[in-house]
Amino acid sequence: MAIDEKTKPRPIDFEEDVNQRRPVTTQAGLGAADPTSPSPGVLANDDNIVFTTVNNLVNWARSRSPWPLGYGLACCAIEMISASMAHHDTARFGMEVFRSSPRQADVMIVAGTVTHKMAPRLRRLYEQMPEPKWVIAMGNCASSGGEFWDSYSTLQGVDTVVPVDVYVPGCPPRPEALIEGLLRLREKIIKGG
């Protein structure tokens, strides 16, 4: 072969040249061949690419870690507290600790009867929360006044003071109902609401 002659390039064999395979060992679970695919490793037909927008990614991350501000006013607060105990464990949904400062929270859970005297304080705490923020009205009293609807001192629903995203019915609602409300709020946050 002369110096000025070039060798013809061979076509790329995907299996041999591109595909990187895991080393096969004898230890269980470490690099063993995948029994479901004929050849282990990344194949050309694997779905390993995800297309999304930054906004959708941020909404997904926000929905997985709500930081609640517990605003427990009456008997619903006991159910709210029990929802974070070991039996129900709201930590499964990223809701680890109830924040004591509104500046560290993005979800306000209003649990109990709100009076006209308490309404301005509730509104002030809501305004101190950073954007984006959401509100869960837990129980009949927070949603519509409950059994005290005809009292002169009871607010006829917390939605007259702050915008409510999710209503959790019950008197008092069980911890499972609050967890269902959190899951509904998660769906709303993912959609950008």
Side-chain angles (χ1 to χ4, degrees):
M1 175 162 139
I3 295 177
D4 57 342
E5 289 182 29
K6 294 182 179 178
T7 60
K8 293 198 173 200
R10 67 178 179 86
I12 295 175
D13 181 19
F14 184 80
E15 289 294 325
E16 196 173 308
D17 298 332
V18 178
N19 194 3
Q20 296 180 0
R21 299 171 194 259
R22 295 179 295 189
V24 178
T25 70
T26 57
Q27 296 178 354
L30 298 176
D34 188 7
T36 59
S37 65
S39 60
V42 178
L43 300 177
N45 61 358
D46 284 346
D47 295 328
N48 58 0
I49 298 174
V50 177
F51 292 100
T52 187
T53 62
V54 174
N55 195 22
N56 287 343
L57 186 64
V58 169
N59 286 339
W60 176 84
R62 281 184 181 140
S63 73
R64 295 306 193 253
S65 61
W67 288 14
L69 173 69
Y71 198 77
L73 298 169
C75 49
C76 290
I78 303 301
E79 300 295 325
M80 179 179 67
I81 292 166
S82 66
S84 62
M85 296 298 182
H87 185 71
H88 300 287
D89 194 21
T90 54
R92 299 179 284 166
F93 308 108
M95 196 173 98
E96 296 291 331
V97 178
F98 281 89
R99 311 297 171 190
S100 58
S101 170
R103 290 173 181 87
Q104 298 173 348
D106 57 2
V107 176
M108 177 185 276
I109 302 175
V110 182
T113 309
V114 182
T115 61
H116 290 289
K117 193 174 184 178
M118 187 60 74
R121 287 137 185 99
L122 175 82
R123 180 67 185 188
R124 180 183 299 162
L125 289 174
Y126 176 78
E127 289 172 352
Q128 289 176 353
M129 291 170 60
E131 291 286 341
K133 52 191 168 187
W134 301 275
V135 176
I136 296 176
M138 182 178 176
N140 293 343
C141 292
S143 299
S144 63
E147 61 186 57
F148 308 109
W149 63 272
D150 60 347
S151 173
Y152 68 93
S153 63
T154 302
L155 197 66
Q156 299 298 308
V158 74
D159 54 356
T160 60
V161 178
V162 294
V164 175
D165 297 293
V166 176
Y167 294 91
V168 178
C171 184
R174 299 267 312 141
E176 294 90 351
L178 178 59
I179 290 173
E180 177 68 24
L182 287 170
L183 294 176
R184 298 294 171 127
L185 181 65
R186 175 183 279 187
E187 293 171 5
K188 186 172 184 174
I189 295 171
I190 287 175
K191 293 176 184 174

